[in-house]
Amino acid sequence: MSMVRFDPFREIEQFANGWATEPAWRARWAAMDAFKSGDAYQVRLDLPGIDEDSLDVTAENNTLTVRARRDVDAPKGAEFVARERPVGTFTRQMVLGDGLDVEKVSADYRNGVLTVTIPVAEHAKPRRIPIARPAGGNRKVIESG
């Protein structure tokens, strides 16, 4: 006769681990790089197997939102032996700083990589401030009291 030890926390832990691993798995589905290059920022998301028509990129109120959908890629009625490729709708949002030009955001999708380019706004670009100098190089000396 085998004895089964009762562990009241085992099922809770298994339940919690199931919830904890699934969102991390989905986050890896759309790995992202973001960097500045010249006068623009680029965000690149890995979205392999995404139909271009399912992609939706919006910029509203300084929030960039990327939505994509991947459907099951198998014949109808197929019985899966293993299923690790995520399916469904993916959404990722990024808050953009005030110094970016949300009106000129552009996006390009090639070879499973979505590249979103966000230009720096003109008012936020560094600019040289001219220094006024008196004509003729005369300097005024101020004497104290």
Side-chain angles (χ1 to χ4, degrees):
M1 179 165 120
S2 66
M3 184 173 175
V4 177
R5 175 176 272 177
F6 175 69
D7 183 356
F9 299 104
R10 182 179 54 184
E11 286 186 36
I12 294 171
E13 182 178 302
Q14 288 173 343
F15 179 75
N17 285 340
W19 280 99
T21 57
E22 207 269 331
W25 180 57
R26 285 192 181 263
R28 285 193 308 268
W29 180 45
M32 177 187 81
D33 289 335
F35 55 90
K36 184 177 182 191
S37 177
D39 287 338
Y41 286 88
Q42 285 194 356
V43 177
R44 293 186 180 160
L45 293 113
D46 286 344
L47 297 169
I50 298 295
D51 181 9
E52 193 173 330
D53 293 334
S54 80
L55 284 172
D56 183 41
V57 180
T58 58
E60 181 181 3
N61 295 331
N62 288 0
T63 300
L64 179 72
T65 304
V66 176
R67 285 187 184 85
R69 188 185 73 253
R70 180 162 58 189
D71 297 320
V72 175
D73 185 22
K76 189 173 183 171
E79 293 182 29
F80 284 90
V81 176
R83 188 168 177 186
E84 296 179 354
R85 298 174 62 220
V87 294
T89 301
F90 165 79
T91 302
R92 183 138 189 191
Q93 290 188 317
M94 292 154 268
V95 177
L96 305 177
D98 291 331
L100 300 176
D101 193 347
V102 242
E103 299 298 320
K104 295 183 181 173
V105 173
S106 62
D108 181 53
Y109 183 62
R110 290 184 196 171
N111 300 323
V113 178
L114 175 68
T115 301
V116 181
T117 303
I118 311 148
V120 174
E122 285 299 320
H123 72 274
K125 290 181 183 176
R127 59 193 177 280
R128 184 166 297 282
I129 308 298
I131 300 170
R133 294 183 174 85
N138 295 334
R139 293 185 178 189
K140 185 176 182 180
V141 177
I142 301 174
E143 295 181 19
S144 62

